[in-house]
Amino acid sequence: LIITIDGPSGAGKGTVCRRIANNLGYSLLDSGAMYRLTALDCIQKQVDLSDEHAVVNIAKNLDIFFEALTETTVIRLSGYDVSHAIREENVGMAASVIAAYPDVRTQLLQQQRDFAQSKGLPKGLVADGRDMGTVVFPAAHVKIFLTASAQERARRRVLQLESSGAQHIDHAVILKDIQDRDERDMSRATAPLKPAVDAYLLDSTSLSIDEVCKVIMDRIALVNA
Ligand code: C5P
C-alpha cells in the first residue's frame, strides 16, 4: 500500500507521516530531505544555486544514507550526520530554489522510486512531499493533501524553533519565508505543489496532530476494508 501525504511547509506532514508509518509498520520516504540534501551539498561545495547544470550534477552524485529509527531518521551526506543541518531555515529556502529545476526533479524522482523499491515495500510506504500523489506515485492507494493557514504554519514553526533553543524569532520573518516558499512551490512549471485530483483535502489549521492522524488512519482503513 502506498500512502502519499503532500502539502505546503509547516502543515504537519513530517510528524503525521512518521506517526502513520510507525502505526502501520510502513517505510517512510521523506522526499523533502532529498531536496534539502541536494541544497546542503551545493552550499557546502560552494556551488552557485543559479547554475542549474552544476546543481543537477550534485543531485546526480549525491552520497546519501537514511537510517530509520522509531522517533527519528539519521540522515547522512557523504558519511556525515546532517540530520540537524538540513533542517536549517537557509537550507529549506535553498531547497525550494533548486527544486524548481526540472532535471533536478528528474534525478530525485528516480531516487525516490528506487528508495521505495529498495525497501521492498514489506508492508507499505508513507511518502511525504509536494508531488508524491501527482507525479512520483500517481497510482498510490491513499492520497492526502494536508494544509493549514500560513499564519498557523508560521506559529507552529516559531514554536518548533523555540523548543530547539532558538531565541528572538520574528514571527513576521518566518511568515514571509513560508509565503515565499509556498509561492515558489506552487508556481514552478515542473511538478508544482497542488493536490492530486483524487487527493483527500485535509485542513489542519484547527486540528491537533492526533486528530489529523485519526482522519488519515480512517481513510486507510476504508481502503484496506
Ligand atoms: O518538506 P520540506 O520542507 O523538507 O521540503 C523542502 C523543500 O523541498 C520544499 O520547500 C520544496 O520546495 C522542495 N520539495 C519539493 N518536492 C518534494 C519535497 C520537497 O519540491 N516532493
Side-chain angles (χ1 to χ4, degrees), residues 9 13 30-33 35-36 87 92 95-96 99 105 112 128-132 181 185 188:
S9 323
K13 284 177 291 132
D30 175 0
S31 63
Y35 287 91
R36 288 173 180 269
R87 303 293 163 200
S96 83
R105 301 203 71 85
Q112 286 153 21
D128 166 351
R130 303 290 188 288
D131 61 344
M132 298 293 101
R181 197 154 355 145
D185 285 348
R188 67 176 171 238

Side-chain angles (χ1 to χ4, degrees), residues 10-27:
K13 284 177 291 132
T15 311
V16 167
C17 286
R18 180 170 300 283
R19 284 247 194 120
I20 303 278
N22 283 349
N23 276 350
L24 297 170
Y26 286 13
S27 303

Side-chain angles (χ1 to χ4, degrees), residues 16-193:
V16 167
C17 286
R18 180 170 300 283
R19 284 247 194 120
I20 303 278
N22 283 349
N23 276 350
L24 297 170
Y26 286 13
S27 303
L28 174 64
L29 168 64
D30 175 0
S31 63
M34 292 191 177
Y35 287 91
R36 288 173 180 269
L37 284 159
T38 307
L40 181 64
D41 211 16
C42 289
I43 294 168
Q44 289 180 344
K45 292 180 174 151
Q46 299 186 349
V47 165
D48 179 357
L49 296 184
S50 65
D51 181 345
E52 182 169 353
H53 182 74
V55 177
V56 172
N57 216 27
I58 292 281
K60 215 180 266 182
N61 294 298
L62 277 182
D63 172 11
I64 60 182
F65 181 74
F66 290 84
E67 184 187 354
L69 308 175
T70 310
E71 287 303 319
T72 182
T73 300
V74 176
I75 301 177
R76 292 187 192 282
L77 175 63
S78 306
Y80 292 96
D81 183 348
V82 294
S83 317
H84 295 292
I86 59 163
R87 303 293 163 200
E88 298 285 330
E89 214 58 27
N90 67 321
V91 178
M93 287 306 263
S96 83
V97 171
I98 57 111
Y101 296 143
D103 290 347
V104 168
R105 301 203 71 85
T106 309
Q107 278 302 324
L108 297 188
L109 176 133
Q110 198 48 53
Q111 295 185 33
Q112 286 153 21
R113 289 191 181 147
D114 289 350
F115 176 90
Q117 287 296 326
S118 73
K119 296 287 156 191
L121 295 183
K123 289 174 86 177
L125 178 78
V126 179
D128 166 351
R130 303 290 188 288
D131 61 344
M132 298 293 101
T134 49
V135 177
V136 182
F137 301 109
H141 307 85
V142 177
K143 298 182 185 180
I144 307 288
F145 192 83
L146 183 63
T147 185
S149 70
Q151 281 286 353
E152 173 61 14
R153 288 184 284 129
R155 190 188 69 82
R156 293 177 189 168
R157 179 74 183 137
V158 168
L159 287 179
Q160 193 183 36
L161 288 168
E162 284 173 349
S163 72
S164 57
Q167 287 174 343
H168 312 300
I169 302 154
D170 187 339
H171 178 94
V173 171
I174 299 289
L175 178 61
K176 172 86 173 48
D177 279 359
I178 282 187
Q179 288 166 332
D180 287 351
R181 197 154 355 145
D182 285 356
E183 171 61 25
R184 257 203 297 276
D185 285 348
M186 290 189 294
S187 64
R188 67 176 171 238
T190 310
L193 169 65

